[in-house]
Amino acid sequence: MKQYIVDAFTDQVFSGNPAAVCVMEQWIPEELMQKIAIENNLSETAFAVKEGEDYHLRWFTPGGEVDLCGHATLATAYVITTFSETALKEIRFKTLSGTLTVKKEDDLFSMDFPSFSLTPTPITQEIIEAIGIKPMEAYLGEDMVCVLASEEQVKNVTGDQEKIRQLAGLLLHVTAKGDVSDCVTRTFAPKCNVTEDPVCGRGHCHVIPLWADKLGKNQLTAYQASKRGGVLYCRYAGERTILSGKAVLFAEAEILKE
């Protein structure tokens, strides 16, 4: 079975967020998909099968299947339009988060994702100990979001993985107003057996609605301040968040039979 590794939300290898992508003719057992994700040991491995005019897309972390992943969706769209259907300009993915549409516009892939609503949550001692600093604000959606005072503070967070694991929400995002970009964010995902997600599309479906409100603008440029780094071009549209980014191929591989 063919597998591609694509660096998403970047235009150069060794940056952005790497995702493994398998576009298959038919589904393989879920247990095998999980084993492949564990073997890859990337934050996401995506599996896609064409069903009619659309594709069915599933995402697996080393810790299990998730209901939404931005960078692996971008990577899958890149693989399909580069190797499978080169004339295709729009792809619809059937996913656990409903139908997601990706449009290819030159070297940018624009993804139409759901926005996550956030509710303020108390800043507990557990949160402070987990990230090593007291946030200015904390919110809870599907993930937890902590707002810090500066980009420097976001970059300096180390994060206690076991204490983060005990917090509410699937992932933890720490974010602040950016020095150059509109916002800067980092994402920790120990519940998915991922220490830090290099660039998180799902996370920006949380933080972009927040920063759109705070900054009074719907068009935002976001930077993910992991060691690899990544840029997202975002548009807040109420119940939907549009995330755009570039992608580049790192490797092609052949997965051998068991």
Side-chain angles (χ1 to χ4, degrees):
M1 183 171 69
K2 194 79 169 180
Q3 176 174 271
Y4 302 88
I5 297 179
V6 176
D7 290 338
F9 295 116
T10 182
D11 58 1
Q12 54 186 339
V13 294
F14 308 122
S15 60
N17 199 353
V21 178
C22 299
V23 180
M24 309 175 296
E25 293 184 359
Q26 60 187 17
W27 290 108
I28 59 177
E30 185 173 305
E31 180 183 6
L32 181 55
M33 289 191 283
Q34 185 61 66
K35 285 181 178 179
I36 292 171
I38 293 170
E39 186 77 7
N40 287 330
N41 200 31
L42 298 171
S43 59
E44 299 286 349
T45 298
F47 299 90
V49 172
K50 190 165 189 181
E51 297 179 352
E53 295 299 314
D54 301 338
Y55 282 84
H56 187 172
L57 176 61
R58 298 175 70 178
W59 310 279
F60 286 80
T61 74
E65 187 173 11
V66 295
D67 61 359
L68 185 65
C69 176
H71 84 280
T73 302
L74 193 162
T76 305
Y78 172 89
V79 168
I80 290 170
T81 58
T82 302
F83 298 101
S84 303
E85 300 188 66
T86 56
L88 205 57
K89 297 297 183 183
E90 181 173 318
I91 307 171
R92 290 185 302 179
F93 290 112
K94 298 175 182 176
T95 77
L96 289 176
S97 291
T99 299
L100 306 177
T101 302
V102 181
K103 296 180 180 179
K104 186 176 187 297
E105 302 164 347
D106 296 323
D107 59 348
L108 274 179
F109 292 87
S110 179
M111 302 180 291
D112 184 345
F113 277 13
S115 300
F116 288 103
S117 59
L118 296 174
T119 302
T121 191
I123 299 172
T124 63
Q125 188 62 30
E126 288 76 15
I127 291 175
I128 296 171
E129 291 178 0
I131 63 175
I133 189 173
K134 185 176 181 179
M136 299 173 63
E137 302 164 0
Y139 298 88
L140 190 60
E142 293 293 318
D143 304 339
M144 179 170 285
V145 176
C146 291
V147 179
L148 305 187
S150 68
E151 179 172 321
E152 182 179 7
Q153 286 186 354
V154 170
K155 290 180 176 179
N156 288 339
V157 168
T158 54
D160 185 310
Q161 292 293 306
E162 285 309 308
K163 290 181 178 179
I164 292 173
R165 192 187 298 271
Q166 302 307 313
L167 299 179
L170 181 62
L171 311 182
L172 169 67
H173 313 287
V174 293
T175 188
K177 187 178 183 299
D179 295 337
V180 177
S181 59
D182 290 301
C183 61
V184 60
T185 302
R186 289 176 65 200
T187 297
F188 302 92
K191 292 177 185 176
C192 298
N193 292 342
V194 174
T195 302
E196 180 172 359
D197 194 16
V199 189
C200 187
R202 172 193 173 100
H204 284 82
C205 293
H206 286 75
V207 302
I208 290 302
L210 179 69
W211 286 112
D213 179 64
K214 286 181 174 294
L215 299 176
K217 57 192 295 188
N218 291 333
Q219 300 276 0
L220 299 96
T221 300
Y223 181 68
Q224 186 101 22
S226 65
K227 288 183 179 180
R228 294 175 63 95
V231 177
L232 304 91
Y233 305 96
C234 312
R235 179 168 62 87
Y236 175 58
E239 294 184 356
R240 311 297 293 180
T241 294
I242 313 302
L243 305 177
S244 298
K246 300 179 181 181
V248 61
L249 182 69
F250 169 67
E252 299 180 41
E254 194 77 28
I255 297 178
L256 304 179
K257 294 181 179 180
E258 290 183 288

